[in-house]
Amino acid sequence: MSAADRLVESMQTLLWERGYTATSPRAVQELAEAGQGSMYHHFSGKAALAVTAEHRMCEELRDQILGRLESGATAREKIAAFLTVDENVLRGCRLGRLVQDAAVVNDEHLREPIATMFEWIQIQIRDVLNEGVSSGDLPAELDIETLAATILAVRQGAYVLARGAQSAEPFRRATEGILQLLPVSQREATRIR
């Protein structure tokens, strides 16, 4: 692995563990086993390295999210797969945790990859819901945009609840709750019975 890749991977790890403000360039360099000269050869500074790490996190999350949203036969099954508890639930969402850092929120370059990713996730959820309406799994009168935003918000909030309780149980309850509220079409209701 190149020094640049080690630096990016180390920044990803530390952003998730500590956040942006609490991550020093020195900590990244030590974890990456790279010197200061190497870091500044590849990146103009901490912010540039963090943005690169955010983009890499987004790529990894895209693959995970697409895998989950493609894993079911019906829209409800796909949304349930998206909402499934993962092994890192007590660590929280890698990106969601960053927007709680004032330095990230106040810096357009640091905030942009996260905002773009959340928008992309909502589009993927919206597409699944639209497919559900088209196939007859979900009722046609659904407000797809609002429901997609709600599903993402519940997942993000469920991470916060799980971290606060240091238990995956609040995450499970929150995601089970949104599935209970997800309406089904008459055709789907008949099939489920």
Side-chain angles (χ1 to χ4, degrees):
M1 186 182 292
S2 72
D5 286 333
R6 289 195 320 271
L7 287 161
V8 172
E9 187 175 280
S10 296
M11 179 58 97
Q12 284 180 266
T13 298
L14 293 172
L15 286 174
W16 199 1
E17 290 175 1
R18 302 178 182 180
Y20 178 76
T21 300
T23 297
S24 69
R26 181 172 205 76
V28 176
Q29 293 160 22
E30 287 175 4
L31 186 59
E33 297 179 357
Q36 182 177 3
S38 181
M39 180 175 160
Y40 290 101
H41 171 75
H42 295 291
F43 305 96
S44 61
K46 174 182 167 181
L49 175 56
V51 168
T52 302
E54 287 176 350
H55 282 291
R56 178 104 31 105
M57 284 188 271
C58 290
E59 290 171 18
E60 293 167 1
L61 285 171
R62 277 187 185 92
D63 291 341
Q64 292 171 9
I65 290 165
L66 287 175
R68 285 177 177 225
L69 288 174
E70 294 170 354
S71 67
T74 67
R76 179 178 284 282
E77 290 171 358
K78 291 176 182 187
I79 296 300
F82 170 72
L83 294 171
T84 300
V85 175
D86 61 44
E87 67 278 3
N88 295 308
V89 70
L90 298 182
R91 291 180 73 192
C93 173
R94 291 184 271 179
L95 296 176
R97 288 190 64 195
L98 288 176
V99 295
Q100 297 174 33
D101 190 320
V104 172
V105 173
N106 293 323
D107 184 315
E108 179 182 337
H109 299 291
L110 290 168
R111 189 179 63 247
E112 186 276 328
I114 300 166
T116 299
M117 185 63 183
F118 283 150
E119 183 179 331
W120 179 86
I121 295 169
Q122 281 188 233
I123 290 168
Q124 303 315 301
I125 295 169
R126 183 194 68 202
D127 290 350
V128 166
L129 296 173
N130 277 324
E131 289 171 15
V133 169
S134 295
S135 69
D137 291 340
L138 298 172
E141 64 276 1
L142 274 182
D143 180 346
I144 299 292
E145 294 294 330
T146 301
L147 185 55
T150 302
I151 290 168
L152 178 56
V154 166
R155 182 170 174 88
Q156 288 300 309
Y159 276 122
V160 173
L161 295 174
R163 280 182 56 78
Q166 282 300 290
S167 166
E169 192 55 32
F171 190 101
R172 282 190 194 89
R173 284 196 310 265
T175 57
E176 287 171 8
I178 196 68
L179 290 173
Q180 289 176 23
L181 297 174
L182 189 63
V184 295
S185 67
Q186 288 288 38
R187 183 179 79 81
E188 183 67 7
T190 303
R191 189 182 75 79
I192 292 172
R193 289 182 204 153

